[in-house]
Amino acid sequence: ACHSHIQVANIADRELIVITDSPVWSTRLRLHTQDMLYMLTQHTDCGVTSIRIRLLKNYNVNKLLPTEKEPVYLSRSTAALIKQTASNITDPDLKHSLLELAKRKRPDN
């Protein structure tokens, strides 16, 4: 549900900057900041230690998303990492979603 309202803007100085398009989504995201930080530190090596939520009023986050109709693929290494992460997840819905995401790896040529 949040996909069309939230966009990662940048990671700078160990801080993840996220843009939202409404106060509602900013608040909802702020409620989950600690959980997101925990997940980032447990499942990535990006080094993020804080999250900043930025509200840009009258801003269409969808403009940042790719508009091309070409499929977006993951690198093989990213797909393998997601698959490895999924193998350690106990929540069946999250595990299924991660495995589905991992299938988006670049096809072999």
Side-chain angles (χ1 to χ4, degrees):
C2 67
H3 180 71
S4 62
H5 301 281
I6 297 170
Q7 178 69 34
V8 172
N10 196 6
I11 297 177
D13 298 325
R14 301 177 62 134
E15 180 176 60
L16 174 67
I17 301 169
V18 180
I19 297 171
T20 66
D21 63 358
S22 74
V24 172
W25 287 106
S26 293
T27 301
R28 289 180 80 176
L29 199 57
R30 281 187 184 97
L31 292 173
H32 297 287
T33 300
Q34 291 303 316
D35 293 331
M36 291 187 305
L37 278 173
Y38 176 77
M39 295 298 283
L40 285 169
T41 57
Q42 294 298 311
H43 301 288
T44 71
D45 60 354
C46 63
V48 170
T49 57
S50 65
I51 298 175
R52 180 183 299 181
I53 312 298
R54 303 293 311 261
L55 168 63
L56 296 177
K57 294 181 182 178
N58 300 321
Y59 186 74
N60 185 351
V61 173
N62 288 321
K63 288 182 182 178
L64 296 176
L65 300 175
T67 56
E68 300 173 11
K69 298 209 178 197
E70 293 182 32
V72 177
Y73 296 110
L74 300 173
S75 69
R76 288 186 192 127
S77 60
T78 300
L81 181 61
I82 291 172
K83 192 172 181 179
Q84 179 184 0
T85 301
S87 69
N88 296 316
I89 301 293
T90 56
D91 181 277
D93 293 332
L94 178 57
K95 185 173 192 164
H96 174 75
S97 295
L98 288 173
L99 291 172
E100 287 299 311
L101 179 62
K103 290 179 183 178
R104 291 181 156 204
K105 69 180 179 184
R106 185 164 304 285
D108 295 329
N109 291 333

